[in-house]
Amino acid sequence: ETLDERAKEVEEVLKAAAEPETGEFLVPLLPEQVQGMRKVVENLEPSSLDEGFLSTVDAFMMKSHQDGMDGMVEILQKCLQQYSGVSILRARNNMQKSDGEPSEHKESAELFEKLLSVDTDQWDVEIRNGVKTEGVTTQSLIGEIQKTMESVVLGLENGSMAQRVQAEFLRELVSRVQAIEEMA
């Protein structure tokens, strides 16, 4: 029953990526469609964003890949990215509430949280604009990401899909920051 619920929830996220008139999926997705997916993920109960949700997305991805539906694989990857951003942001907020300690690099923390909230396609632009801001360096941003990796992701069940997906998401973010650092 829970897997059926998770499948319905994944389908709700995917519906937000479909063309409103036709219900078809066109890639690349428009920014509004990605934002729509994000809103659906944000509105799901935190308890819904569990291993069942991730297993369902994974199964849909495998089936789409086997059927040669690369566009759907791309959309499901966006779904995982939105899941990661929402889950990590929620975990950071919960940590800050319990710790009561703001980050020592406030500007870097704010940029990182913005990056967790935007489509990964916007990361490079946001990072470049963000590191022009006073108080933000690529190193302070990477430090903020790594701190979250240690406190949030390593706190998840070891070897779980949630841990793998969120760790991959943050590693990709670090590599984008490093690429921009190298271009500077």
Side-chain angles (χ1 to χ4, degrees):
E1 185 188 322
T2 309
L3 281 178
D4 285 344
E5 285 174 35
R6 297 303 172 260
K8 284 186 180 100
E9 290 163 344
V10 171
E11 286 169 12
E12 283 303 309
V13 176
L14 295 178
K15 278 181 193 163
E19 288 296 310
E21 298 83 41
T22 62
E24 291 179 11
F25 296 99
L26 303 175
V27 285
L29 294 175
L30 298 171
E32 308 84 73
Q33 291 166 311
V34 177
Q35 274 310 107
M37 291 174 76
R38 171 117 191 155
K39 277 192 178 46
V40 174
V41 173
E42 285 173 341
N43 290 331
L44 291 174
E45 286 298 315
S47 59
S48 292
L49 297 175
D50 59 5
E51 292 293 302
F53 180 88
L54 292 172
S55 295
T56 303
V57 174
D58 192 53
F60 284 10
M61 271 176 100
M62 195 163 320
K63 177 82 174 107
S64 298
H65 182 71
Q66 288 168 348
D67 294 347
M69 298 169 61
D70 294 339
M72 184 53 76
V73 171
E74 195 176 313
I75 292 168
L76 288 160
Q77 285 170 336
K78 283 279 179 225
C79 180
L80 289 177
Q81 291 165 355
Q82 298 309 313
Y83 154 83
S84 293
V86 167
S87 297
I88 294 166
L89 207 47
R90 282 179 180 168
R92 276 177 62 89
N93 290 339
N94 290 340
M95 242 174 41
Q96 286 165 352
K97 280 179 196 158
S98 64
D99 286 356
E101 279 183 49
S103 172
E104 61 207 60
H105 297 285
K106 184 176 179 280
E107 295 85 358
S108 295
E110 287 171 0
L111 175 58
F112 177 41
E113 290 180 6
K114 182 176 187 180
L115 292 168
L116 291 173
S117 301
V118 299
D119 182 10
T120 55
D121 292 346
Q122 300 302 309
W123 278 357
D124 294 349
V125 171
E126 293 294 342
I127 294 165
R128 267 196 293 282
N129 291 341
V131 294
K132 290 178 187 167
T133 313
E134 205 169 306
V136 179
T137 65
T138 52
Q139 285 310 303
S140 66
L141 182 55
I142 289 171
E144 196 64 36
I145 297 166
Q146 287 173 333
K147 193 170 76 179
T148 298
M149 179 83 87
E150 291 163 13
S151 58
V152 173
V153 178
L154 295 179
L156 294 169
E157 186 181 325
N158 207 10
S160 67
M161 246 180 127
Q163 188 182 53
R164 287 197 315 268
V165 169
Q166 291 178 37
E168 185 179 323
F169 179 80
L170 290 176
R171 278 194 301 271
E172 175 62 23
L173 181 51
V174 167
S175 71
R176 298 272 195 98
V177 175
Q178 289 169 333
I180 285 168
E181 180 181 46
E182 288 164 14
M183 288 192 299

